[in-house]
């Protein structure tokens, strides 16, 4: 009997502790701007998310009169994420990659830095990044860094409290070391979810104020080092309305962050929902900050990118280049950053895990696809 009483007492005490540790639910209506408070209850049109030639042809007609000027940027895939750790990524390969990107008309080169190489003090890989960023500047182009956190955190997740400390530290280190022209301090909230072990315990996806506070702190760090660096945040555009699990967070975060001293609001667009949700958000929230498409490519498999290297999509992608350009002009975007730029060379998967040699990698980046030439043409027209 005494044992049963003790067990009941322990269970009650544990329940009280858990209740104390879990934050109270956010009162969304107090935090969502008035003009979008009712959006969660609105019906989402059931449209196809796939980018097809038929849809592209329709938009080429619909948006053909769009006017304006757009800057073009390009992600360096071999230097982003864990790819930089491959032995065959050398100065010669970096030079060949940059020539391709710069010849495409990109005035901005973006690198999504995997901070693992700094955590592990990988001198050889850090030297690659040093060389690359110095070369971008010497070539008269602008440097854009994007926070991709550290790949190691996917294997060994941290708590949200730990993440915030580590986040601020790496942004400080990279800003001081590289003095970028642009810094995307939050790539997409959802990108980090699998790196945060207490994500569901604290229901981080229900707390946009946490992301807004972090953005404020990161902006202060960057601006404190170099006030001229333009600070950006981004969301997955198709998750603004269509993906219910994260749509409220993304809408509130992006709309409210417009009120703090960042410079750029970013939209990552990969499918039709991305176009639709971006247009709708602009009409609903009417952001005052500069708008950029910070990641872009055409996909017909939502989110996994498994089909992008299909050579049968090359002619479709040529049309897509013109559609993304017209869309950016129609809705007042200042810049477009193309993500899967290895497709400027060939429509084959470079497979960074394979043991390539340097000469093969250099030869790869000397290739030029139809999509490359279309991006080049569009960029030169801006």
């Amino acid at each position: 009997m005494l044992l049963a009483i003790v067990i009941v007492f322990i269970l009650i005490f544990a329940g009280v502790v858990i209740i104390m540790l879990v934050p109270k639910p956010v009162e969304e209506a107090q935090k969502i701007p008035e003009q979008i408070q009712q959006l969660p209850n609105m019906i989402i049109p059931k449209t196809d998310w796939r980018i097809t030639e038929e849809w592209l042809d329709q938009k080429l007609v619909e948006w053909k009169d769009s006017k304006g000027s757009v800057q073009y940027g390009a992600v360096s895939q071999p230097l982003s994420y864990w790819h930089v750790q491959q032995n065959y990524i050398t100065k010669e390969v970096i030079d060949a990659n940059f020539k391709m990107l710069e010849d495409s008309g990109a005035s901005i080169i973006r690198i999504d830095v995997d901070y693992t190489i700094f955590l592990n003090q990988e001198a050889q890989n850090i030297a690659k990044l040093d060389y690359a960023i110095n070369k971008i500047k010497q070539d008269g182009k602008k440097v854009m860094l994007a926070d991709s956190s550290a790949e190691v955190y996917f294997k060994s997740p941290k708590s949200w409290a730990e993440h915030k400390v580590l986040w601020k530290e790496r942004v400080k280190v990279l800003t001081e070391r590289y003095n970028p022209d642009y810094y995307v301090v939050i790539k997409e909230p959802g990108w980090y979810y699998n790196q945060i072990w207490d994500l569901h315990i604290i229901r981080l996806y229900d707390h946009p104020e946490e992301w807004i506070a972090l953005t404020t702190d990161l902006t202060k760090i960057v601006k404190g080092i170099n006030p001229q660096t333009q600070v950006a945040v981004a969301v997955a555009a198709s998750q603004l309305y269509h993906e219910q699990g994260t749509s409220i967070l993304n809408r509130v975060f992006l709309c409210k962050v417009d009120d703090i001293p960042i410079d750029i609001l970013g939209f990552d667009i990969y499918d039709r929902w991305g176009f639709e949700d971006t247009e709708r958000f602009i009409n609903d929230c009417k952001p005052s900050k500069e708008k950029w498409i910070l990641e872009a490519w055409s996909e017909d498999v939502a989110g996994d990118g498994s089909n992008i290297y299909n050579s049968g999509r090359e002619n479709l992608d040529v049309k897509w280049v013109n559609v993304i350009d017209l869309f950016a002009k129609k809705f007042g975007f200042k810049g477009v950053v193309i993500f899967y730029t290895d497709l400027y060379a060939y429509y084959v998967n470079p497979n960074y895990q394979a043991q390539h040699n340097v000469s093969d990698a250099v030869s790869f980046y000397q290739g030029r696809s139809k999509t490359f030439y279309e991006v080049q043409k569009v960029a030169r027209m801006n």
Side-chain angles (χ1 to χ4, degrees), residues 119-292:
L119 295 176
N120 295 340
Q121 298 182 354
E122 300 173 18
Q124 183 177 4
N125 293 323
I126 293 172
K128 296 178 190 177
L129 208 55
D130 291 347
Y131 171 80
I133 290 174
N134 285 333
K135 178 168 176 54
I136 294 170
K137 295 178 179 182
Q138 290 170 2
D139 290 350
K141 307 301 179 182
K142 294 184 178 181
V143 175
M144 176 180 285
L145 298 184
D147 181 83
S148 68
S149 188
E151 292 280 339
V152 67
Y153 297 150
F154 286 114
K155 297 178 182 178
S156 302
K158 304 292 184 182
S159 71
W160 176 239
E162 291 174 305
H163 256 293
K164 290 189 286 186
V165 173
L166 295 167
W167 211 318
K168 295 170 191 177
E169 175 62 22
R170 68 176 176 265
V171 165
K172 179 177 182 293
V173 168
L174 294 177
T175 304
E176 289 177 337
R177 188 179 188 94
Y178 296 124
N179 193 26
D181 300 285
Y182 303 91
Y183 205 143
V184 185
V185 294
I186 295 180
K187 171 181 157 61
E188 293 172 3
W191 169 259
Y192 307 95
Y193 283 179
N194 288 336
Q195 301 180 352
I196 304 167
W197 69 259
D198 58 351
L199 173 76
H200 297 293
I201 296 175
I202 64 174
R203 295 184 63 84
L204 185 58
Y205 36 77
D206 287 339
H207 291 272
E209 80 283 357
E210 283 287 331
W211 294 94
I212 293 165
L214 175 61
T215 302
T216 301
D217 291 343
L218 296 174
T219 302
K220 288 179 180 177
I221 291 169
V222 174
K223 296 290 188 180
I225 298 168
N226 182 2
Q228 302 306 313
T229 298
Q230 295 194 57
V231 178
V233 297
V235 300
S238 63
Q239 294 176 8
L240 284 165
Y241 296 90
H242 279 87
E243 308 229 2
Q244 291 299 308
T246 55
S247 60
I248 295 176
L249 168 69
N250 285 329
R251 287 202 301 275
V252 178
F253 169 58
L254 204 60
C255 198
K256 290 291 286 183
V257 84
D258 189 48
D259 297 332
I260 66 176
I262 65 166
D263 302 289
I264 294 168
L265 300 184
F267 301 79
D268 297 346
I269 300 177
Y270 289 95
D271 55 30
R272 283 168 62 171
W273 286 356
F275 284 96
E276 293 171 5
D277 285 12
T278 299
E279 178 180 353
R280 184 171 172 184
F281 177 84
I282 291 170
N283 291 331
D284 287 336
C285 191
K286 298 177 174 58
S288 62
K289 295 290 195 299
E290 275 193 15
K291 302 183 298 294
W292 284 54

Side-chain angles (χ1 to χ4, degrees), residues 75-94:
V75 172
S76 173
Q77 287 191 251
L79 288 166
S80 294
Y81 309 102
W82 51 269
H83 304 155
V84 71
Q85 295 174 300
Q86 302 304 305
N87 290 333
Y88 64 87
I89 304 298
T90 62
K91 291 181 179 179
E92 292 82 4
V93 173
I94 293 169

Side-chain angles (χ1 to χ4, degrees), residues 328-380:
K329 290 172 180 174
K330 180 175 177 61
F331 293 99
F333 285 86
K334 299 296 184 183
V336 174
V337 180
I338 306 296
F339 193 81
Y340 289 113
T341 55
D342 278 352
L343 292 165
Y344 287 0
Y346 296 102
Y347 272 68
V348 295
N349 191 334
N351 188 8
Y352 292 99
Q353 291 178 314
Q355 294 300 311
H356 298 299
N357 59 51
V358 173
S359 62
D360 284 347
V362 169
S363 295
F364 176 83
Y365 287 118
Q366 290 172 343
R368 299 291 184 266
S369 67
K370 294 178 184 178
T371 306
F372 166 88
Y373 288 112
E374 196 66 20
V375 172
Q376 184 185 68
K377 183 184 77 175
V378 167
R380 287 175 176 176

